[in-house]
């Protein structure tokens, strides 16, 4: 355990927050996840049409608009290492013809279950319905989190939220402007209901 660091707050209880909680708790830290939804991991259940596409064995920096942004992460955590982590917490996986990795059960629920069960076994606490509105560094180098519930203090904070959060701006971090990656299209669905759940490569103009 790092010297004098005992309590870690993780803002966001999605896939990255749950994984961070596991890795921190395995090193002996007192970990609490602060999640604004009514339970952790809800978005995991929606990924891959409910099947949860974990990764792809062919993942490469060349697939990204800004390769330099992901190079370090992909080199440190290649697909094989990610799969090894999931295997270590009890998840069996399989891949399809295009290299996409799914849980062997073909259900996103299995992914969420193994993450939450591992957190529980390590004593990770979950505080749901808790939205963090601000983070302030205090004179003793701890952090004070202003939430819609009671204030929360921690020795270190891991921010693992999506959706364009600006929580880190006041702490001196540069924040890249966010752009939507996946978004819904509103249209008359009466003629395309039969296409529900199908995946297709296409271009929209």
């Amino acid at each position: 355990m790092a010297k004098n660091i005992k309590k870690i707050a993780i803002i966001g209880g999605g896939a990255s927050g749950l994984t961070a909680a596991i890795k921190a708790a395995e090193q002996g830290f007192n970990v609490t996840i602060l999640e604004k939804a009514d339970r952790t991991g809800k978005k995991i259940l929606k990924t891959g049409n409910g099947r949860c596409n974990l990764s792809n064995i062919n993942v490469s920096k060349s697939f990204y608009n800004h390769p330099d942004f992901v190079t370090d992460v992909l080199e440190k955590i290649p697909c094989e290492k990610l799969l090894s982590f999931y295997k270590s917490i009890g998840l069996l996986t399989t891949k399809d013809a295009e290299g996409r990795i799914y849980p062997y059960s073909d259900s996103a629920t299995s992914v969420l279950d193994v993450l939450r069960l591992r957190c529980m076994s390590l004593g990770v606490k979950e505080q749901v319905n808790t939205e963090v509105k601000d983070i302030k560094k205090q004179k003793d180098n701890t952090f004070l989190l202003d939430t819609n519930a009671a204030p929360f203090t921690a020795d270190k904070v891991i921010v693992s939220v999506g959706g364009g959060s600006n929580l880190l701006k006041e702490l001196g971090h540069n924040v890249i402007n966010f752009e939507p990656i996946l978004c819904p299209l509103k249209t008359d669905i009466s003629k395309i209901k039969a296409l529900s759940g199908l995946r297709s490569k296409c271009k929209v103009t």
Side-chain angles (χ1 to χ4, degrees), residues 21-77:
I22 290 170
K23 302 309 288 186
E26 285 178 344
Q27 296 180 58
F29 296 112
N30 179 347
V31 182
T32 299
I33 297 173
L34 305 176
E35 167 58 47
K36 70 177 182 179
D38 58 2
R39 65 171 293 186
T40 57
K42 289 183 75 170
K43 289 185 179 179
I44 294 175
L45 301 178
K46 298 179 181 179
T47 59
N49 289 324
R51 297 170 61 204
C52 193
N53 178 196
L54 292 167
S55 185
N56 192 304
I57 59 171
N58 303 312
V59 67
S60 167
K61 62 183 180 182
S62 63
F63 296 151
Y64 293 81
N65 293 330
H66 300 285
D68 55 317
F69 184 74
V70 298
T71 297
D72 189 48
V73 173
L74 293 180
E75 287 179 351
K76 290 181 178 178
I77 310 175

Side-chain angles (χ1 to χ4, degrees), residues 85-128:
F85 163 73
Y86 275 108
K87 185 178 180 180
S88 74
I89 62 173
L91 185 73
L92 299 178
T93 58
T94 185
K95 68 177 185 292
D96 67 10
E98 295 188 24
R100 289 185 287 262
I101 306 295
Y102 292 97
Y104 192 78
S105 66
D106 218 26
S107 171
T109 303
S110 298
V111 179
L112 179 55
D113 284 348
V114 295
L115 289 169
R116 294 193 72 219
L117 285 170
R118 182 57 178 156
C119 281
M120 288 172 62
S121 71
L122 292 166
V124 173
K125 293 177 282 295
E126 293 183 1
Q127 189 169 311
V128 297

Side-chain angles (χ1 to χ4, degrees), residues 68 140 186:
D68 55 317
D140 61 356
K186 291 186 177 181

